[in-house]
Amino acid sequence: MREETTPELACPISPVVDIVFSRWTTPILWTLHEHGRMRFSELERQIGTITAKVLTQRLRQLERDGLVVRTYTPEIPPRVEYEISEVGRSLGPLFASLSEWATQHLPIVDAARASYDTSGRPRP
């Protein structure tokens, strides 16, 4: 009988990838890391192509995960701001390493894709 292996045992960084590298999480964390505390509308404008619904969902998830802190100030009108938490900020070296990797290797990946695409093989 074959023993079942969970994704976490097969690859211990799977939970991290699930948390940090979903479609909109990285741009949100990057923006908050770069610009500091921001209101929802500022964050939405800075990211550009994200919808308000998706931004709301991702911010709630990031708050739940402890990567973003939401601050509500009861004034008129109410003020809600978001900032990256200490745990979220601890991802900075990871993002810096990925940025460095991208600078060095994405041209190679682009060339490999172009070569593959012109080879006549079907695209994945």
Side-chain angles (χ1 to χ4, degrees):
M1 180 191 255
R2 196 175 129 197
E3 196 174 309
E4 289 294 317
T5 302
T6 65
E8 291 80 13
L9 291 176
C11 179
I13 66 166
S14 289
V16 176
V17 171
D18 289 344
I19 293 168
V20 177
F21 297 109
S22 68
R23 172 69 177 100
W24 290 107
T25 297
T26 307
I28 292 168
L29 291 175
W30 184 277
T31 301
L32 291 173
H33 181 73
E34 290 292 309
H35 300 282
R37 182 182 280 202
M38 299 178 84
R39 294 184 80 161
F40 183 92
S41 59
E42 296 169 322
L43 188 55
E44 183 180 28
R45 193 171 32 255
Q46 189 69 36
I47 294 173
T49 56
I50 193 169
T51 66
K53 178 183 176 184
V54 171
L55 181 55
T56 298
Q57 290 170 342
R58 295 310 313 149
L59 284 169
R60 284 182 184 153
Q61 184 63 51
L62 289 168
E63 184 181 8
R64 181 176 181 256
D65 291 339
L67 300 176
V68 166
V69 176
R70 179 182 184 269
T71 304
Y72 174 81
T73 307
E75 55 188 39
I76 306 223
R79 183 175 188 86
V80 178
E81 295 177 311
Y82 298 90
E83 62 186 309
I84 194 166
S85 70
E86 284 301 316
V87 174
R89 200 171 282 110
S90 72
L91 292 166
L94 174 63
F95 287 153
S97 294
L98 288 171
S99 179
E100 183 179 314
W101 185 93
T103 300
Q104 292 177 4
H105 296 97
L106 281 183
I108 297 165
V109 171
D110 289 340
R113 287 177 176 172
S115 175
Y116 184 95
D117 292 347
T118 59
S119 71
R121 286 179 276 178
R123 291 181 90 171

